[in-house]
PDB file of all heavy atoms in Angstrom:
ATOM      1  N   LYS Y  54     -20.689  -8.212  23.981  1.00  0.00           N
ATOM      2  CA  LYS Y  54     -20.934  -6.775  23.745  1.00  0.00           C
ATOM      3  C   LYS Y  54     -19.926  -5.946  24.530  1.00  0.00           C
ATOM      4  O   LYS Y  54     -19.342  -4.997  24.005  1.00  0.00           O
ATOM      5  CB  LYS Y  54     -22.371  -6.401  24.166  1.00  0.00           C
ATOM      6  CG  LYS Y  54     -23.430  -6.882  23.185  1.00  0.00           C
ATOM      7  CD  LYS Y  54     -24.843  -6.787  23.739  1.00  0.00           C
ATOM      8  CE  LYS Y  54     -25.821  -7.407  22.748  1.00  0.00           C
ATOM      9  NZ  LYS Y  54     -27.201  -7.537  23.263  1.00  0.00           N
ATOM     10  N   LEU Y  96     -28.531  -0.303  26.782  1.00  0.00           N
ATOM     11  CA  LEU Y  96     -29.176  -1.510  26.241  1.00  0.00           C
ATOM     12  C   LEU Y  96     -29.622  -2.388  27.405  1.00  0.00           C
ATOM     13  O   LEU Y  96     -28.815  -2.706  28.274  1.00  0.00           O
ATOM     14  CB  LEU Y  96     -28.183  -2.272  25.359  1.00  0.00           C
ATOM     15  CG  LEU Y  96     -28.683  -3.577  24.735  1.00  0.00           C
ATOM     16  CD1 LEU Y  96     -28.080  -3.768  23.361  1.00  0.00           C
ATOM     17  CD2 LEU Y  96     -28.368  -4.793  25.606  1.00  0.00           C
ATOM     18  N   VAL Y  97     -30.901  -2.693  27.449  1.00  0.00           N
ATOM     19  CA  VAL Y  97     -31.410  -3.650  28.432  1.00  0.00           C
ATOM     20  C   VAL Y  97     -31.600  -4.965  27.705  1.00  0.00           C
ATOM     21  O   VAL Y  97     -32.413  -5.070  26.763  1.00  0.00           O
ATOM     22  CB  VAL Y  97     -32.751  -3.156  29.045  1.00  0.00           C
ATOM     23  CG1 VAL Y  97     -33.297  -4.201  30.017  1.00  0.00           C
ATOM     24  CG2 VAL Y  97     -32.567  -1.811  29.745  1.00  0.00           C
ATOM     25  N   GLN Y  98     -30.819  -5.956  28.107  1.00  0.00           N
ATOM     26  CA  GLN Y  98     -30.848  -7.238  27.387  1.00  0.00           C
ATOM     27  C   GLN Y  98     -32.213  -7.904  27.550  1.00  0.00           C
ATOM     28  O   GLN Y  98     -32.740  -8.013  28.662  1.00  0.00           O
ATOM     29  CB  GLN Y  98     -29.720  -8.139  27.926  1.00  0.00           C
ATOM     30  CG  GLN Y  98     -29.547  -9.452  27.188  1.00  0.00           C
ATOM     31  CD  GLN Y  98     -29.062  -9.296  25.754  1.00  0.00           C
ATOM     32  OE1 GLN Y  98     -28.384  -8.334  25.411  1.00  0.00           O
ATOM     33  NE2 GLN Y  98     -29.424 -10.238  24.896  1.00  0.00           N
ATOM     34  N   LEU Y  99     -32.784  -8.372  26.461  1.00  0.00           N
ATOM     35  CA  LEU Y  99     -34.061  -9.081  26.460  1.00  0.00           C
ATOM     36  C   LEU Y  99     -33.791 -10.564  26.213  1.00  0.00           C
ATOM     37  O   LEU Y  99     -32.788 -10.894  25.585  1.00  0.00           O
ATOM     38  CB  LEU Y  99     -34.973  -8.517  25.368  1.00  0.00           C
ATOM     39  CG  LEU Y  99     -35.260  -7.014  25.449  1.00  0.00           C
ATOM     40  CD1 LEU Y  99     -36.117  -6.576  24.260  1.00  0.00           C
ATOM     41  CD2 LEU Y  99     -35.956  -6.656  26.758  1.00  0.00           C
ATOM     42  N   PRO Y 100     -34.613 -11.468  26.640  1.00  0.00           N
ATOM     43  CA  PRO Y 100     -35.873 -11.232  27.367  1.00  0.00           C
ATOM     44  C   PRO Y 100     -35.615 -10.907  28.831  1.00  0.00           C
ATOM     45  O   PRO Y 100     -34.610 -11.304  29.399  1.00  0.00           O
ATOM     46  CB  PRO Y 100     -36.581 -12.584  27.221  1.00  0.00           C
ATOM     47  CG  PRO Y 100     -35.481 -13.594  27.093  1.00  0.00           C
ATOM     48  CD  PRO Y 100     -34.359 -12.889  26.386  1.00  0.00           C
ATOM     49  N   ASP Y 121     -30.701   0.258  20.948  1.00  0.00           N
ATOM     50  CA  ASP Y 121     -31.431  -0.864  20.357  1.00  0.00           C
ATOM     51  C   ASP Y 121     -32.483  -0.387  19.353  1.00  0.00           C
ATOM     52  O   ASP Y 121     -32.975  -1.175  18.547  1.00  0.00           O
ATOM     53  CB  ASP Y 121     -32.175  -1.640  21.452  1.00  0.00           C
ATOM     54  CG  ASP Y 121     -31.453  -2.903  21.894  1.00  0.00           C
ATOM     55  OD1 ASP Y 121     -30.763  -3.509  21.065  1.00  0.00           O
ATOM     56  OD2 ASP Y 121     -31.601  -3.275  23.073  1.00  0.00           O
ATOM     57  N   PHE Y 123     -35.538   0.371  20.133  1.00  0.00           N
ATOM     58  CA  PHE Y 123     -36.818  -0.283  20.459  1.00  0.00           C
ATOM     59  C   PHE Y 123     -37.848   0.669  21.077  1.00  0.00           C
ATOM     60  O   PHE Y 123     -39.025   0.330  21.189  1.00  0.00           O
ATOM     61  CB  PHE Y 123     -36.587  -1.437  21.455  1.00  0.00           C
ATOM     62  CG  PHE Y 123     -35.764  -2.580  20.923  1.00  0.00           C
ATOM     63  CD1 PHE Y 123     -35.208  -3.515  21.792  1.00  0.00           C
ATOM     64  CD2 PHE Y 123     -35.570  -2.768  19.560  1.00  0.00           C
ATOM     65  CE1 PHE Y 123     -34.457  -4.585  21.325  1.00  0.00           C
ATOM     66  CE2 PHE Y 123     -34.810  -3.833  19.077  1.00  0.00           C
ATOM     67  CZ  PHE Y 123     -34.252  -4.743  19.955  1.00  0.00           C
ATOM     68  N   ILE Y 170     -38.395  -6.583  16.777  1.00  0.00           N
ATOM     69  CA  ILE Y 170     -36.929  -6.468  16.816  1.00  0.00           C
ATOM     70  C   ILE Y 170     -36.314  -6.548  15.429  1.00  0.00           C
ATOM     71  O   ILE Y 170     -35.349  -5.871  15.115  1.00  0.00           O
ATOM     72  CB  ILE Y 170     -36.338  -7.554  17.753  1.00  0.00           C
ATOM     73  CG1 ILE Y 170     -36.735  -7.274  19.195  1.00  0.00           C
ATOM     74  CG2 ILE Y 170     -34.831  -7.673  17.623  1.00  0.00           C
ATOM     75  CD1 ILE Y 170     -36.158  -8.263  20.222  1.00  0.00           C
TER      76      ILE Y 170
HETATM   77  N1  GUN C   1     -32.014 -10.160  22.933  1.00  0.00           N
HETATM   78  C1  GUN C   1     -31.846 -10.755  21.738  1.00  0.00           C
HETATM   79  N2  GUN C   1     -31.535  -9.824  20.793  1.00  0.00           N
HETATM   80  C2  GUN C   1     -31.499  -8.635  21.424  1.00  0.00           C
HETATM   81  C3  GUN C   1     -31.226  -7.313  20.987  1.00  0.00           C
HETATM   82  O1  GUN C   1     -30.953  -7.037  19.816  1.00  0.00           O
HETATM   83  N3  GUN C   1     -31.291  -6.354  21.946  1.00  0.00           N
HETATM   84  C4  GUN C   1     -31.606  -6.637  23.239  1.00  0.00           C
HETATM   85  N4  GUN C   1     -31.660  -5.623  24.093  1.00  0.00           N
HETATM   86  N5  GUN C   1     -31.879  -7.842  23.683  1.00  0.00           N
HETATM   87  C5  GUN C   1     -31.811  -8.848  22.769  1.00  0.00           C
END
Side-chain angles (χ1 to χ4, degrees):
K54 285 167 185 172
L96 179 145
V97 177
Q98 185 67 28
L99 303 177
D121 260 329
F123 295 164
I170 292 182

